[in-house]
Amino acid sequence: MSRRVAIVFFLGCLVFSLPAVCATTVILARHAEKAPAPAADPPLSAIGRERAQLLASLLANAGVGAIFVTEYVRTQQTARPLAERLHLAPERVDAANTAKLIAAIRRHDGGTVLVIGHSNTVPAILSALGGPAVAVAENAFNDLFVCTISGQDVSLLRLRYGAGPAETASLRPPSNGVAMLEKRSPVMQIQFVRSGGFAGAATNVTGTVNFDESGAQVISEGTKYARELPPQEAEQLRTSADPAHLAEALNGPAAESSPVRDGYQYQISLATKDGKTHKLEVNADGSVKKISPELQALLAWVQEEAQKIWAHRITNR
């Protein structure tokens, strides 16, 4: 029996046994993997959205009658697939207000509720329910806690669902087919500006790509544009932007005369793990000077993404 099937089977049996003992079952999970930006309230990453769908599949027949989330988008998006499947409206309770959440949970005496929290709030909630002390690792998103409350008796079962941190990392498409993350490009952020062109400032575009261990996301401030990059695209972009591959363009005259045929000027800034920033300016001078394949790939990606951002801005005015 697979791990996924085993968890579903257990939860189904647990729910069917509840009415006889009038127990309350509280299922707690941390939100799924989040995107790197915006820092204040990031949404789920592509991997996180997949985990949210998996959670919905696991709990679809677990008898969940209420769902609690926090004020943060990542908890709401983690709960959304199950909420939509069960036609439930999740109740929002501020992450810092554990007392209010506990009171709301206890109103569902004899039922089953799902709580989507955070790595620091899930342990606090379990403790407030009378459960044992637990810890949730910062890089762990696959913990599933089943807390059963029957009178003064409280029992806790800790399960795992989906890939763990090491398994998730191994699923990313590494270069040369070898999962050696330490050999990845050191680029952690790409910022780009498109200016000039035949229409002037009307077509100026700015964008930021943030990389982390779960992938990459491109955003454009002020336009509400946000796109999660597929894993392969993220790795290819990170590689093409490696300063080691762009040394001539970054340090030599190529940065001043690299050709662009669309009439725009591009300013590209690369931030690396060592805290350094590498700046590159590509001008539309009409020359035919040859540039490196890496710079060609980076520029082609920036050109295409800038056009997507501009089209999004026009469409959503």
Side-chain angles (χ1 to χ4, degrees):
M1 182 181 292
S2 69
R3 179 184 300 179
R4 174 172 171 175
V5 173
I7 292 176
V8 174
F9 176 77
F10 169 80
L11 291 174
C13 293
L14 181 65
V15 171
F16 286 128
S17 67
L18 290 179
V21 295
C22 294
T24 301
T25 299
V26 184
I27 303 171
L28 301 99
R30 181 191 182 187
H31 61 80
E33 290 87 342
K34 61 184 179 181
D41 190 13
L44 295 185
S45 66
I47 294 175
R49 291 194 294 272
E50 291 178 6
R51 188 180 297 280
Q53 292 291 343
L54 174 58
L55 184 64
S57 297
L58 291 175
L59 301 182
N61 298 310
V64 173
I67 300 174
F68 295 94
V69 297
T70 71
E71 70 273 27
Y72 295 102
V73 170
R74 53 192 180 274
T75 64
Q76 297 163 24
Q77 291 184 342
T78 302
R80 184 173 299 160
L82 179 64
E84 291 178 349
R85 184 175 297 198
L86 300 180
H87 305 291
L88 294 174
E91 182 177 342
R92 299 182 190 180
V93 180
D94 286 354
N97 201 339
T98 302
K100 180 179 178 180
L101 175 62
I102 297 302
I105 290 173
R106 295 196 184 283
R107 287 198 293 271
H108 293 272
D109 184 36
T112 299
V113 304
L114 170 66
V115 178
I116 303 295
H118 305 264
S119 60
N120 60 330
T121 66
V122 167
I125 296 165
L126 283 171
S127 179
L129 289 171
V134 300
V136 177
E138 182 60 32
N139 65 340
F141 298 91
N142 65 332
D143 284 305
L144 193 65
F145 299 93
V146 181
C147 182
T148 304
I149 306 168
S150 180
Q152 299 299 313
D153 297 325
V154 178
S155 62
L156 179 67
L157 183 65
R158 185 172 190 167
L159 305 171
R160 298 281 195 273
Y161 77 103
E167 297 168 290
T168 301
S170 69
L171 292 176
R172 302 187 193 103
S175 60
N176 301 323
V178 181
M180 299 181 66
L181 298 183
E182 67 274 11
K183 292 188 177 181
R184 297 166 79 184
S185 163
V187 175
M188 297 301 293
Q189 185 183 78
I190 300 174
Q191 292 183 318
F192 59 89
V193 178
R194 185 185 79 176
S195 59
F198 304 110
T203 54
N204 287 359
V205 167
T206 63
T208 300
V209 185
N210 291 297
F211 296 89
D212 67 5
E213 294 307 315
S214 66
Q217 183 188 53
V218 56
I219 59 174
S220 180
E221 295 293 342
T223 66
K224 296 183 180 180
Y225 179 90
R227 183 172 76 89
E228 192 77 24
L229 273 59
Q232 185 174 3
E233 181 182 356
E235 288 304 314
Q236 290 174 343
L237 178 60
R238 192 199 288 256
T239 299
S240 67
D242 191 329
H245 297 155
L246 302 175
E248 182 182 359
L250 290 167
N251 303 314
E256 300 175 0
S257 59
S258 299
V260 179
R261 296 184 179 277
D262 61 4
Y264 295 105
Q265 175 176 292
Y266 294 88
Q267 295 175 323
I268 304 172
S269 177
L270 313 174
T272 50
K273 291 180 180 179
D274 57 9
K276 295 181 179 180
T277 300
H278 310 265
K279 294 185 178 180
L280 174 65
E281 188 170 291
V282 188
N283 297 310
D285 62 358
S287 70
V288 293
K289 182 175 181 177
K290 183 179 180 180
I291 58 177
S292 69
E294 290 81 13
L295 181 54
Q296 287 179 341
L298 174 60
L299 180 58
W301 186 92
V302 170
Q303 288 175 308
E304 183 178 349
E305 198 66 22
Q307 190 62 23
K308 290 179 181 178
I309 293 172
W310 181 79
H312 174 85
R313 187 172 71 195
I314 296 299
T315 303
N316 292 276
R317 278 181 173 176

